[in-house]
Amino acid sequence: MAQVLTSNRPVVINPLKLSPALGGALAFLGIQGAIPLIHGAQGCASFAKVLLVRHFREAIPLATTALTEVGVILGGEEAIQTSLETLLAKAQPRLIGLCSTALAETRGEDIAGILRELDLPIPVIYAYTPDFGGSLSDGYVQAVAALVRGLPQPGPLIPDQVTVLAGPDLTPGEVADLKALIQAFGLTPLVIPDLSTALDGHFTGDYASVSPGGITMAELRQAGRSVHVLVIGEALRPVAELWRERFQRPYTLLPGVTGLAATDALVHCLMTWSQRQVPQHYQCQRQQLLDAMLDTHFYLGGKRVALALEPNQLAVMTHFLVSMGAEIQVAVSPTPAPWLADLPCETVIVGDLGDWEQGAAGADVLIANSRGAAIAQALGIPLLRMGWPIFDRLGYHLRSYVGYRGTAQLLFDLGNLLLATHAP
């Protein structure tokens, strides 16, 4: 059990927290033909768009209602209506994901009521994502909840179909690996949201004004008829409960799929659901992971690690590192979460990168996003880049640390960092 402490810094200088509207936009981009619309000032959308473009190195479709001072005082109904009409005429989306900001929510604007009064030809899904409502993962969860609340439809169950609610820390490459694993058992995964075909960086030669990939609207409606529901990440537990309440069917929640035990748990589920044995390909990958654990435990055992990650990813990495014999020197999360108190370390700090820097001195390896690079250089400690945003490395969106193969890759990346640091 960990003691969760909140930083008492009077001012945040080096923030770890990201905008919830960014997380909401990220989730909506996993729907084919969708476009996120951020209801706020132009700067709110620009900030999110710059981070998305730098992280994925792609042109990202994202719009704003460009709320002005007059709109803030008199109400943003006209700005929302004009923006929706413009998007429908120029981008021709199949879905618009409307993410709110602190500017609109502080005023107490009834965005859901405004949307109910409009006669719209396509679904417009509203997600509550003000900046005072958490960080990236909180906005992501709000958007997924809004999608689940409004689009999947009940009906006769479809055998062998699995609805996967994908957590906020999964990269497009990791979602692709999970889909491949599920398909290897003869099951059909429908992932909400599906970033594996939307933000995987595939070249089309044309600029897309809406999300070029992801789960289709037809698949999204059909997802309510899946015979199995798999939820990846504790952050999505409220959405899973919403699903159970709406469709009266149980779900299986896995906190993560990084590590031998976590992947075994997923494979056991797939074996039970499909009544099939593990394909030979994945049996080989499991043996490779066992060998990788033997090879790397000499380097990871007893090493001190300092982490600064979003709550869900922080929990997954902490459990994994401790299982490999590492010690958690400091763990920092931008926002609180119920499961942080269960982490196998002494304390978890809800704070920023300044708190992380103070606690990281003397560690053997650091794990954080690209904004931790300057701190790592100053401390002379190797950094494994993880989380959001990653803007000083190429191909991060396709990197995978899930499943047997992905876990082995994570072990090798950590081991190589330590080898390079301590090499003669």
Side-chain angles (χ1 to χ4, degrees):
M1 293 288 288
Q3 185 179 13
V4 180
L5 305 174
T6 301
S7 174
N8 57 3
R9 286 171 174 272
V11 62
V12 174
I13 297 173
N14 198 355
L16 177 62
K17 179 178 176 296
L18 293 168
S19 166
L22 169 63
L26 178 65
F28 286 127
L29 288 170
I31 314 300
Q32 189 178 66
I35 182 169
L37 172 64
I38 293 183
H39 181 41
Q42 281 186 323
C44 301
S46 299
F47 180 74
K49 186 158 187 167
V50 166
L51 282 178
L52 285 163
V53 170
R54 294 186 75 191
H55 184 86
F56 290 106
R57 296 178 183 268
E58 299 292 337
I60 301 294
L62 190 150
T64 173
T65 58
L67 201 58
T68 63
E69 297 91 333
V70 175
V72 173
I73 296 169
L74 300 181
E77 182 174 356
E78 184 178 348
I80 291 175
Q81 186 169 356
T82 303
S83 301
L84 292 176
E85 289 172 354
T86 303
L87 286 177
L88 289 170
K90 294 189 174 180
Q92 299 170 347
R94 297 187 182 94
L95 178 143
I96 296 175
L98 182 58
C99 303
S100 63
T101 61
L103 196 61
E105 297 290 359
T106 302
R107 183 184 177 276
E109 195 152 48
D110 183 12
I111 299 175
I114 292 172
L115 294 179
R116 278 196 298 271
E117 296 298 322
L118 299 177
D119 184 17
L120 299 166
I122 63 168
V124 177
I125 305 297
Y126 160 53
Y128 176 81
T129 56
D131 283 334
F132 51 76
S135 188
L136 178 145
S137 56
D138 299 282
Y140 179 98
V141 171
Q142 287 287 343
V144 176
L147 288 168
V148 165
R149 196 177 292 116
L151 292 178
Q153 299 299 314
L157 296 181
I158 300 176
D160 298 331
Q161 180 175 292
V162 181
T163 292
V164 181
L165 301 180
D169 49 316
L170 296 176
T171 68
E174 290 171 337
V175 175
D177 282 355
L178 284 176
K179 287 170 63 179
L181 177 58
I182 295 170
Q183 288 166 345
F185 284 84
L187 302 169
T188 304
L190 297 181
V191 184
I192 305 174
D194 187 354
L195 301 182
S196 69
T197 54
L199 294 170
D200 58 332
H202 63 276
F203 180 75
T204 62
D206 295 323
Y207 170 73
S209 57
V210 295
S211 180
I215 186 171
T216 66
M217 290 298 292
E219 290 171 334
L220 196 49
R221 293 190 177 93
Q222 188 178 298
R225 297 170 56 194
S226 293
V227 68
H228 304 294
V229 179
L230 176 65
V231 185
I232 308 294
E234 277 290 344
L236 286 175
R237 187 175 289 278
V239 184
E241 288 296 325
L242 175 63
W243 187 283
R244 178 160 62 182
E245 182 181 334
R246 187 164 175 227
F247 296 102
Q248 300 298 308
R249 285 203 298 280
Y251 60 84
T252 299
L253 188 147
L254 300 177
V257 247
T258 297
L260 179 65
T263 308
D264 280 348
L266 173 58
V267 169
H268 177 73
C269 283
L270 299 177
M271 289 175 64
T272 305
W273 292 345
S274 66
Q275 294 298 303
R276 292 190 183 188
Q277 294 300 310
V278 181
Q280 183 64 33
H281 178 63
Y282 288 100
Q283 291 184 35
C284 291
Q285 286 191 7
R286 190 178 191 278
Q287 292 171 332
Q288 291 165 352
L289 173 57
L290 289 172
D291 190 66
M293 293 169 72
L294 282 172
D295 292 343
T296 56
H297 86 278
F298 297 106
Y299 305 100
L300 292 175
K303 292 296 187 294
R304 294 158 298 177
V305 187
L307 306 101
L309 297 166
E310 292 272 332
N312 201 85
Q313 198 165 28
L314 183 68
V316 172
M317 287 303 300
T318 298
H319 283 290
F320 169 70
L321 289 166
V322 171
S323 75
M324 288 300 300
E327 299 175 8
I328 305 303
Q329 177 161 318
V330 61
V332 178
S333 166
T335 56
W339 57 88
L340 293 180
D342 297 327
L343 297 189
C345 57
E346 289 187 7
T347 57
V348 176
I349 300 173
V350 178
D352 59 14
L353 288 173
D355 300 298
W356 182 66
E357 182 176 8
Q358 280 188 347
D364 295 296
V365 65
L366 311 179
I367 299 178
N369 61 37
S370 289
R371 288 173 176 155
I375 295 172
Q377 186 175 14
L379 296 175
I381 304 172
L383 171 71
L384 179 69
R385 289 163 175 79
M386 189 177 290
W388 264 83
I390 304 296
F391 48 75
D392 58 348
R393 289 293 183 272
L394 298 171
Y396 179 79
H397 58 291
L398 295 180
R399 189 227 61 192
S400 176
Y401 286 158
V402 301
Y404 298 128
R405 174 65 64 85
T407 303
Q409 188 61 54
L410 173 58
L411 288 171
F412 292 143
D413 288 350
L414 282 167
N416 287 332
L417 274 177
L418 292 165
L419 271 174
T421 305
H422 299 291

